[in-house]
Amino acid sequence: MLIAGDIGGTKTDLAIYSSESGPHAPLAQTEVHSADYPSLEAMVKEFLAKVKMSVDVASFDVAGPVINGHVKTTNLPWVMDETTMAKGLNLKAAHLMNDLEAVARAVPALREEDMLTLNQGEPVPRGPIAVIAPGTGLGESFLTWNGSQYVAHGSEGGHSDFAPTDERQIRLLQYLLPRLGHVGVERVCSGIGVPNIYEFLRDAEKIPERPDVAVRIASAKDHTRVIVEAAVDPHHPSELCQATVEMLVSILASEAGNLALKVLATGGVYLAGGIPPKILPLLQNGNWEKNFDNNGRMHQLSEKVPVHVILNDKMALQGAAYYGAYNM
């Protein structure tokens, strides 16, 4: 019996699997708000007690760099260790992996209905694959072919420097630098980055703020959710919110293009995370392609790279379950 989990900065998915049912058919599953718990261990104990089930091993993915089985989460005040966790939960073994490594593990098993294609491109069989995921934070990973199967690699590329590509983005960097000291690309290309762009466009670029939207943002626990919803409202979109998400798309496209070049992603680029499925109209309006292919002399390479949006919001959980089912 296996418990797998996708530990996000906002929410956590937990599921229990048996060797008979396999990693596609959980016996029990739950979704909880991560910050409501003091630790992953407390969360897991509550879930197991509620469903009255026992497990032998655990496989968790988490937003943060996992080094030698140890991780301090990026967007939660948690420190986790495989050995300590296995002992505390009375398990035979526990495994921790980066959340984007888990997503990458699930990519080769994607079904057609799990994704939407932005650019068909010219995929190279068994070519490297890049994964970029704006959710609460920004995750990046990639896969390489080892001769018999794809191997997933985690990274912390989402914390690399934000590289502006036009004058407005330069002004965004200048606006944020005194506030943050270091402006990683996550700060302008994720759930925590959306309010930064919104405030810049409102305060520095003087795009007017709609009073009703401002009230909704101020009263909401999750400002990003309100901004995104107001941006894609089919009947009465907010100009400021729409400009915010359009800028996010342009930054995401540029960063995805950079990642594609760095890993030579001839097998494709996959957009994961919670944000892309919510902003599909703005990903399909032409700005994506213009910014993704804006790579100077590498333009002809970039335009051949397939780009897909992952619509399945349980990819990381499935990747963690795959690992637990076949490697533990």
mmCIF file of all heavy atoms in Angstrom, residues 187-212:
data_model
loop_
_atom_site.group_PDB
_atom_site.id
_atom_site.type_symbol
_atom_site.label_atom_id
_atom_site.label_comp_id
_atom_site.label_asym_id
_atom_site.label_seq_id
_atom_site.Cartn_x
_atom_site.Cartn_y
_atom_site.Cartn_z
ATOM 1 N N ARG A 187 9.051 35.695 -9.549
ATOM 2 C CA ARG A 187 8.414 36.886 -8.987
ATOM 3 C C ARG A 187 7.528 37.614 -9.993
ATOM 4 O O ARG A 187 6.762 38.515 -9.620
ATOM 5 C CB ARG A 187 9.490 37.859 -8.486
ATOM 6 C CG ARG A 187 10.341 37.317 -7.366
ATOM 7 C CD ARG A 187 9.572 37.261 -6.058
ATOM 8 N NE ARG A 187 10.453 37.095 -4.911
ATOM 9 C CZ ARG A 187 10.085 37.240 -3.656
ATOM 10 N NH1 ARG A 187 8.843 37.559 -3.379
ATOM 11 N NH2 ARG A 187 10.943 37.055 -2.683
ATOM 12 N N VAL A 188 7.640 37.254 -11.265
ATOM 13 C CA VAL A 188 6.836 37.895 -12.304
ATOM 14 C C VAL A 188 6.160 36.868 -13.213
ATOM 15 O O VAL A 188 5.588 37.226 -14.238
ATOM 16 C CB VAL A 188 7.697 38.855 -13.166
ATOM 17 C CG1 VAL A 188 8.132 40.062 -12.351
ATOM 18 C CG2 VAL A 188 8.914 38.147 -13.740
ATOM 19 N N CYS A 189 6.218 35.596 -12.833
ATOM 20 C CA CYS A 189 5.711 34.546 -13.718
ATOM 21 C C CYS A 189 5.140 33.386 -12.910
ATOM 22 O O CYS A 189 5.557 32.249 -13.074
ATOM 23 C CB CYS A 189 6.842 34.066 -14.643
ATOM 24 S SG CYS A 189 6.290 33.020 -15.995
ATOM 25 N N SER A 190 4.191 33.717 -12.032
ATOM 26 C CA SER A 190 3.593 32.696 -11.164
ATOM 27 C C SER A 190 2.445 33.340 -10.405
ATOM 28 O O SER A 190 2.158 34.535 -10.570
ATOM 29 C CB SER A 190 4.633 32.178 -10.165
ATOM 30 O OG SER A 190 4.983 33.208 -9.244
ATOM 31 N N GLY A 191 1.802 32.535 -9.549
ATOM 32 C CA GLY A 191 0.742 33.077 -8.731
ATOM 33 C C GLY A 191 1.213 34.190 -7.812
ATOM 34 O O GLY A 191 0.517 35.185 -7.615
ATOM 35 N N ILE A 192 2.412 34.040 -7.261
ATOM 36 C CA ILE A 192 2.930 35.112 -6.394
ATOM 37 C C ILE A 192 3.432 36.291 -7.209
ATOM 38 O O ILE A 192 3.630 37.379 -6.674
ATOM 39 C CB ILE A 192 4.055 34.604 -5.461
ATOM 40 C CG1 ILE A 192 5.250 34.081 -6.257
ATOM 41 C CG2 ILE A 192 3.540 33.533 -4.526
ATOM 42 C CD1 ILE A 192 6.423 33.658 -5.384
ATOM 43 N N GLY A 193 3.612 36.102 -8.513
ATOM 44 C CA GLY A 193 4.096 37.174 -9.375
ATOM 45 C C GLY A 193 3.000 38.028 -9.965
ATOM 46 O O GLY A 193 3.228 39.203 -10.292
ATOM 47 N N VAL A 194 1.795 37.484 -10.116
ATOM 48 C CA VAL A 194 0.700 38.224 -10.751
ATOM 49 C C VAL A 194 0.406 39.547 -10.029
ATOM 50 O O VAL A 194 0.294 40.595 -10.682
ATOM 51 C CB VAL A 194 -0.565 37.342 -10.850
ATOM 52 C CG1 VAL A 194 -1.802 38.171 -11.187
ATOM 53 C CG2 VAL A 194 -0.365 36.265 -11.910
ATOM 54 N N PRO A 195 0.276 39.578 -8.686
ATOM 55 C CA PRO A 195 0.043 40.870 -8.026
ATOM 56 C C PRO A 195 1.181 41.865 -8.236
ATOM 57 O O PRO A 195 0.941 43.082 -8.263
ATOM 58 C CB PRO A 195 -0.092 40.481 -6.549
ATOM 59 C CG PRO A 195 -0.544 39.058 -6.576
ATOM 60 C CD PRO A 195 0.190 38.451 -7.736
ATOM 61 N N ASN A 196 2.427 41.380 -8.373
ATOM 62 C CA ASN A 196 3.550 42.286 -8.631
ATOM 63 C C ASN A 196 3.375 42.999 -9.973
ATOM 64 O O ASN A 196 3.628 44.207 -10.087
ATOM 65 C CB ASN A 196 4.872 41.513 -8.625
ATOM 66 C CG ASN A 196 5.273 41.043 -7.242
ATOM 67 O OD1 ASN A 196 4.892 41.636 -6.241
ATOM 68 N ND2 ASN A 196 6.040 39.962 -7.177
ATOM 69 N N ILE A 197 2.960 42.256 -10.992
ATOM 70 C CA ILE A 197 2.734 42.864 -12.308
ATOM 71 C C ILE A 197 1.550 43.827 -12.236
ATOM 72 O O ILE A 197 1.601 44.944 -12.777
ATOM 73 C CB ILE A 197 2.475 41.776 -13.368
ATOM 74 C CG1 ILE A 197 3.678 40.842 -13.491
ATOM 75 C CG2 ILE A 197 2.164 42.420 -14.716
ATOM 76 C CD1 ILE A 197 3.440 39.665 -14.433
ATOM 77 N N TYR A 198 0.492 43.400 -11.582
ATOM 78 C CA TYR A 198 -0.717 44.229 -11.447
ATOM 79 C C TYR A 198 -0.389 45.577 -10.809
ATOM 80 O O TYR A 198 -0.788 46.637 -11.324
ATOM 81 C CB TYR A 198 -1.745 43.476 -10.606
ATOM 82 C CG TYR A 198 -3.057 44.197 -10.378
ATOM 83 C CD1 TYR A 198 -4.127 44.030 -11.248
ATOM 84 C CD2 TYR A 198 -3.230 45.036 -9.270
ATOM 85 C CE1 TYR A 198 -5.342 44.680 -11.032
ATOM 86 C CE2 TYR A 198 -4.434 45.688 -9.046
ATOM 87 C CZ TYR A 198 -5.485 45.514 -9.929
ATOM 88 O OH TYR A 198 -6.678 46.160 -9.711
ATOM 89 N N GLU A 199 0.351 45.544 -9.707
ATOM 90 C CA GLU A 199 0.686 46.785 -8.995
ATOM 91 C C GLU A 199 1.598 47.674 -9.828
ATOM 92 O O GLU A 199 1.461 48.913 -9.809
ATOM 93 C CB GLU A 199 1.325 46.451 -7.650
ATOM 94 C CG GLU A 199 0.342 45.808 -6.668
ATOM 95 C CD GLU A 199 1.025 45.182 -5.470
ATOM 96 O OE1 GLU A 199 2.237 45.400 -5.286
ATOM 97 O OE2 GLU A 199 0.326 44.457 -4.715
ATOM 98 N N PHE A 200 2.518 47.068 -10.577
ATOM 99 C CA PHE A 200 3.390 47.845 -11.461
ATOM 100 C C PHE A 200 2.584 48.565 -12.540
ATOM 101 O O PHE A 200 2.767 49.765 -12.780
ATOM 102 C CB PHE A 200 4.429 46.927 -12.111
ATOM 103 C CG PHE A 200 5.039 47.482 -13.366
ATOM 104 C CD1 PHE A 200 5.937 48.538 -13.312
ATOM 105 C CD2 PHE A 200 4.703 46.951 -14.612
ATOM 106 C CE1 PHE A 200 6.496 49.064 -14.484
ATOM 107 C CE2 PHE A 200 5.253 47.459 -15.778
ATOM 108 C CZ PHE A 200 6.152 48.520 -15.714
ATOM 109 N N LEU A 201 1.681 47.845 -13.182
ATOM 110 C CA LEU A 201 0.883 48.451 -14.254
ATOM 111 C C LEU A 201 -0.054 49.519 -13.699
ATOM 112 O O LEU A 201 -0.320 50.524 -14.364
ATOM 113 C CB LEU A 201 0.097 47.369 -14.988
ATOM 114 C CG LEU A 201 0.938 46.362 -15.783
ATOM 115 C CD1 LEU A 201 0.041 45.282 -16.376
ATOM 116 C CD2 LEU A 201 1.735 47.051 -16.884
ATOM 117 N N ARG A 202 -0.540 49.315 -12.488
ATOM 118 C CA ARG A 202 -1.423 50.309 -11.857
ATOM 119 C C ARG A 202 -0.655 51.537 -11.393
ATOM 120 O O ARG A 202 -1.051 52.686 -11.679
ATOM 121 C CB ARG A 202 -2.129 49.660 -10.669
ATOM 122 C CG ARG A 202 -3.093 50.574 -9.918
ATOM 123 C CD ARG A 202 -3.485 49.950 -8.586
ATOM 124 N NE ARG A 202 -2.326 49.827 -7.691
ATOM 125 C CZ ARG A 202 -2.318 49.078 -6.590
ATOM 126 N NH1 ARG A 202 -3.390 48.367 -6.257
ATOM 127 N NH2 ARG A 202 -1.244 49.027 -5.827
ATOM 128 N N ASP A 203 0.463 51.310 -10.697
ATOM 129 C CA ASP A 203 1.164 52.421 -10.048
ATOM 130 C C ASP A 203 2.152 53.133 -10.975
ATOM 131 O O ASP A 203 2.242 54.368 -10.950
ATOM 132 C CB ASP A 203 1.925 51.910 -8.820
ATOM 133 C CG ASP A 203 1.009 51.283 -7.781
ATOM 134 O OD1 ASP A 203 -0.205 51.548 -7.837
ATOM 135 O OD2 ASP A 203 1.510 50.514 -6.944
ATOM 136 N N ALA A 204 2.888 52.371 -11.769
ATOM 137 C CA ALA A 204 3.933 52.970 -12.606
ATOM 138 C C ALA A 204 3.468 53.261 -14.025
ATOM 139 O O ALA A 204 3.843 54.279 -14.610
ATOM 140 C CB ALA A 204 5.157 52.046 -12.646
ATOM 141 N N GLU A 205 2.645 52.364 -14.583
ATOM 142 C CA GLU A 205 2.174 52.550 -15.956
ATOM 143 C C GLU A 205 0.836 53.286 -16.013
ATOM 144 O O GLU A 205 0.367 53.645 -17.098
ATOM 145 C CB GLU A 205 2.060 51.205 -16.656
ATOM 146 C CG GLU A 205 3.373 50.441 -16.745
ATOM 147 C CD GLU A 205 4.360 51.083 -17.712
ATOM 148 O OE1 GLU A 205 4.131 51.012 -18.926
ATOM 149 O OE2 GLU A 205 5.371 51.642 -17.222
ATOM 150 N N LYS A 206 0.209 53.489 -14.862
ATOM 151 C CA LYS A 206 -1.022 54.271 -14.729
ATOM 152 C C LYS A 206 -2.206 53.717 -15.517
ATOM 153 O O LYS A 206 -3.069 54.484 -15.983
ATOM 154 C CB LYS A 206 -0.769 55.742 -15.141
ATOM 155 C CG LYS A 206 0.379 56.421 -14.407
ATOM 156 C CD LYS A 206 0.171 56.417 -12.904
ATOM 157 C CE LYS A 206 1.323 57.124 -12.180
ATOM 158 N NZ LYS A 206 1.197 57.039 -10.691
ATOM 159 N N ILE A 207 -2.263 52.405 -15.674
ATOM 160 C CA ILE A 207 -3.458 51.796 -16.260
ATOM 161 C C ILE A 207 -4.557 51.861 -15.201
ATOM 162 O O ILE A 207 -4.355 51.439 -14.060
ATOM 163 C CB ILE A 207 -3.195 50.342 -16.686
ATOM 164 C CG1 ILE A 207 -2.128 50.305 -17.783
ATOM 165 C CG2 ILE A 207 -4.483 49.685 -17.185
ATOM 166 C CD1 ILE A 207 -1.755 48.908 -18.238
ATOM 167 N N PRO A 208 -5.714 52.420 -15.533
ATOM 168 C CA PRO A 208 -6.745 52.636 -14.503
ATOM 169 C C PRO A 208 -7.271 51.341 -13.905
ATOM 170 O O PRO A 208 -7.437 50.333 -14.597
ATOM 171 C CB PRO A 208 -7.855 53.385 -15.267
ATOM 172 C CG PRO A 208 -7.599 53.105 -16.713
ATOM 173 C CD PRO A 208 -6.127 52.924 -16.854
ATOM 174 N N GLU A 209 -7.526 51.410 -12.615
ATOM 175 C CA GLU A 209 -8.047 50.277 -11.875
ATOM 176 C C GLU A 209 -9.557 50.410 -11.744
ATOM 177 O O GLU A 209 -10.051 51.453 -11.326
ATOM 178 C CB GLU A 209 -7.397 50.224 -10.487
ATOM 179 C CG GLU A 209 -7.798 49.039 -9.648
ATOM 180 C CD GLU A 209 -7.060 49.025 -8.325
ATOM 181 O OE1 GLU A 209 -6.989 50.080 -7.657
ATOM 182 O OE2 GLU A 209 -6.541 47.963 -7.946
ATOM 183 N N ARG A 210 -10.296 49.366 -12.113
ATOM 184 C CA ARG A 210 -11.750 49.407 -12.013
ATOM 185 C C ARG A 210 -12.152 49.263 -10.554
ATOM 186 O O ARG A 210 -11.711 48.312 -9.879
ATOM 187 C CB ARG A 210 -12.361 48.282 -12.849
ATOM 188 C CG ARG A 210 -13.608 48.707 -13.601
ATOM 189 C CD ARG A 210 -14.030 47.677 -14.602
ATOM 190 N NE ARG A 210 -14.559 46.475 -13.957
ATOM 191 C CZ ARG A 210 -14.687 45.314 -14.574
ATOM 192 N NH1 ARG A 210 -14.313 45.195 -15.836
ATOM 193 N NH2 ARG A 210 -15.198 44.278 -13.944
ATOM 194 N N PRO A 211 -12.954 50.189 -10.005
ATOM 195 C CA PRO A 211 -13.268 50.168 -8.567
ATOM 196 C C PRO A 211 -13.848 48.843 -8.078
ATOM 197 O O PRO A 211 -13.469 48.368 -7.003
ATOM 198 C CB PRO A 211 -14.286 51.306 -8.411
ATOM 199 C CG PRO A 211 -13.965 52.241 -9.533
ATOM 200 C CD PRO A 211 -13.532 51.363 -10.675
ATOM 201 N N ASP A 212 -14.772 48.219 -8.847
ATOM 202 C CA ASP A 212 -15.378 46.984 -8.370
ATOM 203 C C ASP A 212 -14.363 45.854 -8.299
ATOM 204 O O ASP A 212 -14.388 45.029 -7.380
ATOM 205 C CB ASP A 212 -16.562 46.582 -9.263
ATOM 206 C CG ASP A 212 -16.141 46.301 -10.690
ATOM 207 O OD1 ASP A 212 -15.400 47.113 -11.272
ATOM 208 O OD2 ASP A 212 -16.548 45.253 -11.243
#
